[in-house]
Amino acid sequence: MTLFASKRTEELKKAAIPKGHVVIKQEGAPARHTYRPGVKLCIERARLLTQSYKDTEGEPEILRRAKGLAHILDHMTIYVKDLELIVGSWSSSPEGIPFYPELSAQEMEIGMEDVYGDITEDRHKDEIFDICKYWHGKCIEDRVMAVMPEDLKAYVRFTTGFNTVCSSNNFSSGEGVPVPDYEKLLQLGLNGLIKRIDQKRDALRNSMGDRHPKDYVAQLADLEAMKIACEAVIRFAERFSKKAKEMAQRETDSQKRKDLEKISDICTHVPANPARTLHEALQSYILSYIVSYILEYRSQACGSRWDVLFNPFYQKDLEEGRLTRKGAQELVEALLIKMEEMGRVLPREQHGIASGASMFQNIMLGGVTADGKDASNEFTDLVLDVAMSVRNPLTNVVFRYHNDVNPDTLSKVIDCMRAGLGYPSLFNDSAIIDIMSGYGIPLEEARNYTIPACVGWTVIGKYVGVYTPNPGVISLGKCFDLALNEGEDAFTGKQLGCRTPDPKTFASIEDIMQAYLSQVGFIAGKMTKINDLAQDIMSRYVQRPYYAVLFDGNIENGNATKSLEKRYSVYPLLLITGSIDIADSLAAVKKFVFDDKVLSWEEMIDVLRNNFEGREDLRQRLITEAPKYGNDHDYVDLLAQEIHHRTLEEVAKITDYWGSPYAVDGSIAGAYYPWGRKIGAFPNGRKAKETLADGSLSPCPGMDKSGPTAVIKSMSKVRPRFAELANQRFMPQFLEGENKQQFAAYLKTWADLGNYHIQFNIIDDNTLLKAQQKPDDYPDLIVRVAGYSAYFVDLSKGVQDEIIARTPQSIDCTG
């Protein structure tokens, strides 16, 4: 297979500037996080939003948000790149990424001293500080921190000075979001949605009914804001139409002129009107996506079911002779490359978690239809071909697996995995739909679930699932560490957790578990209070009128202001890391202390506090002799189940201000490595500051010794009640030739066991080691980190080492 499907695609790919976060490794200096070469900070969005806010002082916040978006879309610099078939701008130039002073001015000011200053032109630096000065006291972070009780402030940011157990500042960093209903956009067009807004507004003006006057006025403002936003997006598209037309008039190449004229015609029609062709559908989609995920607000993820959304247009084009499969593939390649280039400023605190990543954009394929039938189609196969031809690490393909999946499509899914992209990752329809049904979500809607980023689920067009507001990340590993130190952080000596008993008084595994759960409850309580306070302020100051239009019920209810509000009794979620390390540790304590009595519990505590100094022999015995999760051993697997379930039960004791209990979720990206560096030694033989297991259900690196089927059997015993993340690494030859059918059978076993998720690195040790030693020879090597793929060379050495340490599975896949 050729690397690129067409010369145009190859040229577009070469010209693209991915926005991934990289780690600069210089001899004799500490590793430093920054962005890929060529990336520049763009000042336009911040400048234009600030100008608008200065002009709208005193107006309702929802109208200020709408007018701010309109000012951005009407005045930002736009561009059409050479050879592009799909257009859209999120900054003043393709290499730019915007920033968001309305969320945190301080983040940008501090960041100008290092990572942001590195990517900012000197001529813009003074203006950036001027912009930030306007937002002092007005940005979300300042508003939240101004009313934050003193006992919560230290738990907002993950820091080295005190808080090494949680990150609770999603309010200032932006959030992943539920997935808009783009089918509504493609079927009605924005003019159709504006018509619905006008009808609702006219009905209100005719009669306020029994509404409270405050609610009546608010609904009128919300409807006006939604209309302002929709009209601005139409004008945004018209600007591209005009731009392309002007470029066509100057173009001397006949084919390029024809392409530009077509772009002009398409952007005149969509997204204002319903899409009629695949090209129009793709163009309408991407302009709306850019606005709602980058320009209106700092967001991440994607989650659209591309095969369900676009196949009707593709089939119609084929039937009417407008397009060939080759032409359709080139269009989708152009769209994927456009998405690969997208980016936005990510808070510095999250750079280690997102090492090598950008926007965590998942493209969902497969699954079932509303009536339970296989949803895969010809467009599914086309997107998989595009993934293999374009080879994007920053825009991931995810696949919903079920037992009635088309075998030919599954074969192509395996081919895509074998291509070494780190995706598609697989999600088990039967397990996930069952979990969602347990939350009271109607079956037809649950069948329309998607995975926007990492592993958390949501329902398209609904405010439901992992991307409802969440407090942030809690390090379960650190909670366990605190339980072994009376709540003190052994690195700083400060009381980070609650005061639990002297660990030397513990007489059973249950005593250890109770201390751990006390720490979880204490930290989760801090995080959820921070979240509740922040969400109240966010719902008043960062409304999203355009985004709100594409969700069910907002126009009908005249409600954009409360677009963060949940519509189902679905738990708000804390993202977790470290659970498997705890399971292995409890198994080691059970065997060495309580069962075999190799050493006393007091001796174990002393050994851990000394980081195994002088006891390497014991550490090796703990590693090799204590049962490890991932080997189909009930001794430890049932402890993993207990940890997951009891952690969930502990967190569920806390409710948010809507009355819903909190839950946990495994969508922790690459947090396992940087957060592990703030945790002391564990009884499983892990030394202080070493990495944690790379997912909420992944075995600790290299500890799965009994083959891949044993791993998925261990996973299945946990019986997931929430989103779980599981990585495996396979040798490439086991996905090809005669082994391919065995691998397909292995996937069926994984699903039949009731597992939630699995994803694969298909790469051998030799390649990884060579790439680490000579990175310049492997600039395009892609690996799966956690819930995302990345260029291997962009990762820190620690993350690279962890990926290398994962067991390369190479035995008979059928188990």
Side-chain angles (χ1 to χ4, degrees):
M1 177 180 294
T2 57
L3 183 59
F4 302 115
S6 70
K7 182 173 176 56
R8 181 197 300 270
T9 298
E10 185 172 1
E11 292 300 318
L12 287 172
K13 176 73 175 178
K14 286 180 180 178
I17 303 175
K19 306 303 188 300
H21 306 287
V22 304
V23 177
I24 297 177
K25 301 175 278 284
Q26 295 178 331
E27 189 172 350
R32 192 161 60 86
H33 292 276
T34 185
Y35 290 82
R36 284 206 127 216
V39 176
K40 299 292 184 184
L41 186 73
C42 177
I43 198 171
E44 278 199 346
R45 181 196 176 276
R47 174 195 291 149
L48 293 168
L49 182 70
T50 304
Q51 288 173 353
S52 178
Y53 263 67
K54 289 178 178 179
D55 292 340
T56 58
E57 293 280 359
E59 295 186 26
E61 285 297 325
I62 186 67
L63 294 179
R64 300 185 78 192
R65 290 291 296 172
K67 291 179 180 180
L69 175 63
H71 193 64
I72 293 168
L73 299 181
D74 286 342
H75 298 284
M76 67 175 286
T77 303
I78 64 170
Y79 54 84
V80 177
K81 293 176 63 177
D82 188 42
L83 297 176
E84 279 194 318
L85 297 173
I86 304 292
V87 299
S89 304
W90 53 89
S91 66
S92 58
S93 62
E95 65 269 17
I97 51 175
F99 70 98
Y100 303 79
E102 76 270 31
L103 294 180
S104 175
Q106 183 187 50
E107 166 68 27
M108 181 55 59
E109 290 172 324
I110 295 175
M112 289 302 294
E113 299 174 4
D114 45 55
V115 58
Y116 303 146
D118 292 346
I119 62 172
T120 302
E121 295 182 37
D122 290 341
R123 63 193 177 98
H124 291 317
K125 291 181 178 180
D126 287 343
E127 185 179 0
I128 287 173
F129 282 106
D130 287 342
I131 289 171
C132 290
K133 184 177 180 180
Y134 170 81
W135 290 99
H136 287 170
K138 301 182 182 75
C139 66
I140 294 300
E141 181 175 35
D142 287 357
R143 291 182 187 276
V144 173
M145 296 306 293
V147 296
M148 183 77 67
E150 290 299 322
D151 65 334
L152 298 180
K153 286 183 178 179
Y155 294 87
V156 172
R157 290 184 178 274
F158 184 88
T159 64
T160 56
F162 177 75
N163 175 25
T164 56
V165 69
C166 65
S167 175
S168 307
N169 68 328
N170 274 357
F171 57 85
S172 65
S173 63
E175 296 178 315
V177 293
V179 179
D181 183 2
Y182 291 110
E183 184 176 4
K184 183 184 301 184
L185 170 74
L186 301 184
Q187 289 181 348
L188 298 175
L190 290 179
N191 282 329
L193 292 170
I194 290 170
K195 182 177 179 180
R196 290 186 175 185
I197 293 169
D198 286 341
Q199 289 171 343
K200 177 65 179 179
R201 186 175 59 179
D202 290 346
L204 276 177
R205 285 176 172 168
N206 285 332
S207 174
M208 65 182 291
D210 58 358
R211 292 175 181 81
H212 189 284
K214 182 178 178 181
D215 293 336
Y216 169 73
V217 173
Q219 286 187 12
L220 287 176
D222 283 9
L223 290 165
E224 182 181 352
M226 286 190 274
K227 183 174 182 178
I228 289 171
C230 287
E231 290 176 337
V233 175
I234 292 173
R235 294 194 302 272
F236 189 50
E238 290 172 345
R239 292 185 65 207
F240 282 100
S241 176
K242 181 180 178 182
K243 179 80 171 177
K245 186 175 182 179
E246 292 172 348
M247 291 173 65
Q249 291 171 347
R250 299 191 301 268
E251 182 58 62
T252 58
D253 184 287
S254 61
Q255 183 58 52
K256 289 183 178 181
R257 182 169 61 251
K258 183 179 179 181
D259 291 341
L260 288 165
E261 289 170 347
K262 188 170 187 178
I263 289 171
S264 180
D265 291 342
I266 288 173
C267 290
T268 297
H269 186 77
V270 295
N273 302 297
R276 300 165 298 189
T277 67
L278 177 63
H279 199 161
E280 288 183 352
L282 299 177
Q283 183 62 70
S284 182
Y285 169 85
I286 198 60
L287 285 177
S288 186
Y289 179 81
I290 288 171
V291 171
S292 56
Y293 275 72
I294 303 180
L295 293 175
E296 185 173 40
Y297 185 69
R298 176 163 60 196
S299 302
Q300 62 184 29
C302 176
S304 299
R305 298 182 71 182
W306 277 19
D307 46 2
V308 173
L309 186 63
F310 296 126
N311 189 59
F313 298 96
Y314 172 58
Q315 294 298 332
K316 188 169 183 286
D317 279 356
L318 291 179
E319 291 167 7
E320 297 180 3
R322 246 187 321 270
L323 195 63
T324 63
R325 190 189 191 284
K326 182 178 179 181
Q329 180 166 332
E330 190 173 58
L331 285 174
V332 178
E333 287 170 344
L335 175 61
L336 203 60
I337 292 169
K338 174 64 69 173
M339 293 182 69
E340 174 82 348
E341 279 199 284
M342 292 180 188
R344 74 281 186 271
V345 164
L346 187 70
R348 290 154 36 254
E349 178 186 351
Q350 297 180 17
H351 287 185
I353 295 174
S355 179
S358 178
M359 288 180 60
F360 298 97
Q361 300 173 113
N362 281 350
I363 296 165
M364 174 58 77
L365 301 177
V368 296
T369 59
D371 57 2
K373 296 180 181 178
D374 182 27
S376 61
N377 51 50
E378 290 182 42
F379 205 80
T380 311
D381 295 348
L382 186 149
V383 174
L384 290 167
D385 284 342
V386 166
M388 288 185 278
S389 67
V390 175
R391 296 184 63 83
N392 277 354
L394 303 185
T395 306
N396 301 296
V397 174
V398 294
F399 189 82
R400 287 177 44 179
Y401 181 96
H402 60 93
N403 281 336
D404 294 325
V405 64
N406 184 318
D408 292 336
T409 296
L410 181 60
S411 177
K412 194 172 286 288
V413 166
I414 296 172
D415 288 341
C416 195
M417 292 176 178
R418 174 62 183 83
L421 302 171
Y423 57 78
S425 53
L426 297 185
F427 293 84
N428 187 359
D429 267 14
S430 61
I432 297 173
I433 291 172
D434 183 63
I435 290 172
M436 296 171 69
S437 296
Y439 285 135
I441 297 174
L443 180 59
E444 286 191 1
E445 294 187 3
R447 285 170 171 165
N448 196 31
Y449 83 85
T450 188
I451 309 294
C454 207
V455 295
W457 55 266
T458 188
V459 179
I460 292 175
K462 310 287 183 182
Y463 297 115
V464 56
V466 67
Y467 288 100
T468 52
N470 65 71
V473 182
I474 180 171
S475 173
L476 301 185
K478 188 64 180 182
C479 288
F480 184 75
D481 190 26
L482 293 172
L484 301 183
N485 291 280
E486 300 180 60
E488 288 187 4
D489 187 340
F491 292 99
T492 66
K494 296 179 180 178
Q495 191 69 32
L496 176 58
C498 62
R499 180 69 66 180
T500 46
D502 181 345
K504 291 188 176 182
T505 66
F506 296 161
S508 66
I509 293 294
E510 180 59 24
D511 287 346
I512 305 171
M513 183 73 77
Q514 285 295 334
Y516 157 74
L517 292 172
S518 294
Q519 298 298 339
V520 170
F522 177 81
I523 299 301
K526 299 282 189 183
M527 296 176 69
T528 55
K529 287 178 181 178
I530 292 168
N531 183 62
D532 288 351
L533 181 63
Q535 295 305 327
D536 178 66
I537 291 174
M538 290 175 72
S539 68
R540 288 185 276 136
Y541 292 102
V542 287
Q543 304 97 329
R544 306 177 63 182
Y546 181 69
Y547 165 77
V549 167
L550 300 177
F551 281 81
D552 292 354
N554 284 339
I555 294 176
E556 294 77 7
N557 297 321
N559 181 6
T561 301
K562 296 180 181 179
S563 62
L564 292 171
E565 190 168 327
K566 296 183 295 296
R567 305 299 166 87
Y568 292 100
S569 296
V570 176
Y571 296 0
L573 301 163
L574 286 79
L575 310 184
I576 62 169
T577 183
S579 53
I580 297 304
D581 301 83
I582 301 171
D584 281 358
S585 294
L586 291 181
V589 172
K590 186 174 185 295
K591 179 173 175 57
F592 275 70
V593 175
F594 297 117
D595 290 352
D596 296 352
K597 304 186 187 307
V598 173
L599 73 167
S600 70
W601 175 238
E602 291 85 354
E603 288 176 307
M604 175 70 84
I605 291 296
D606 288 338
V607 166
L608 297 179
R609 289 178 176 173
N610 290 315
N611 198 24
F612 296 101
E613 188 70 31
R615 298 302 307 271
E616 181 62 21
D617 58 333
L618 175 63
R619 189 175 86 90
Q620 290 303 319
R621 289 187 66 189
L622 290 167
I623 292 172
T624 59
E625 296 178 23
K628 296 295 188 290
Y629 168 87
N631 295 285
D632 190 20
H633 200 318
D634 283 354
Y635 193 95
V636 60
D637 294 347
L638 296 182
L639 283 170
Q641 179 193 90
E642 185 176 1
I643 290 160
H644 279 241
H645 287 229
R646 292 183 70 177
T647 299
L648 177 62
E649 290 164 3
E650 186 67 29
V651 169
K653 294 176 183 177
I654 308 168
T655 58
D656 69 2
Y657 71 87
W658 286 294
S660 296
Y662 278 87
V664 295
D665 179 280
S667 304
I668 47 84
Y672 59 85
Y673 174 71
W675 289 43
R677 294 181 62 79
K678 307 301 178 183
I679 299 173
F682 275 9
N684 66 340
R686 174 193 162 276
K687 296 187 76 172
K689 299 185 179 183
E690 289 185 347
T691 184
L692 299 168
D694 55 75
S696 59
L697 277 188
S698 300
C700 291
M703 294 298 103
D704 44 334
K705 305 290 189 180
S706 303
T709 304
V711 178
I712 59 177
K713 286 182 177 178
S714 290
M715 291 176 185
S716 69
K717 294 175 200 173
V718 174
R719 298 183 182 277
R721 294 162 60 189
F722 51 84
E724 299 274 18
L725 191 156
N727 288 304
Q728 277 196 313
R729 182 153 71 92
F730 265 83
M731 301 292 280
Q733 62 265 33
F734 288 90
L735 277 72
E736 59 190 26
E738 295 180 359
N739 289 326
K740 188 176 180 181
Q741 283 303 112
Q742 291 182 323
F743 187 78
Y746 173 69
L747 296 180
K748 184 178 187 306
T749 301
W750 162 81
D752 290 344
L753 286 169
N755 288 299
Y756 181 98
H757 161 267
I758 198 165
Q759 59 195 14
F760 304 94
N761 268 310
I762 310 300
I763 194 167
D764 60 86
D765 285 346
N766 191 44
T767 300
L768 291 171
L769 290 169
K770 286 182 177 179
Q772 191 177 55
Q773 294 163 2
K774 296 183 177 181
D776 291 343
D777 293 344
Y778 295 85
D780 299 321
L781 179 64
I782 298 170
V783 293
R784 194 72 176 176
V785 181
Y788 65 97
S789 293
Y791 289 113
F792 187 70
V793 297
D794 288 350
L795 305 174
S796 67
K797 185 179 184 300
V799 175
Q800 290 179 344
D801 288 344
E802 185 280 320
I803 292 171
I804 293 170
R806 297 177 192 175
T807 301
Q809 303 291 354
S810 58
I811 67 168
D812 184 353
C813 307
T814 61

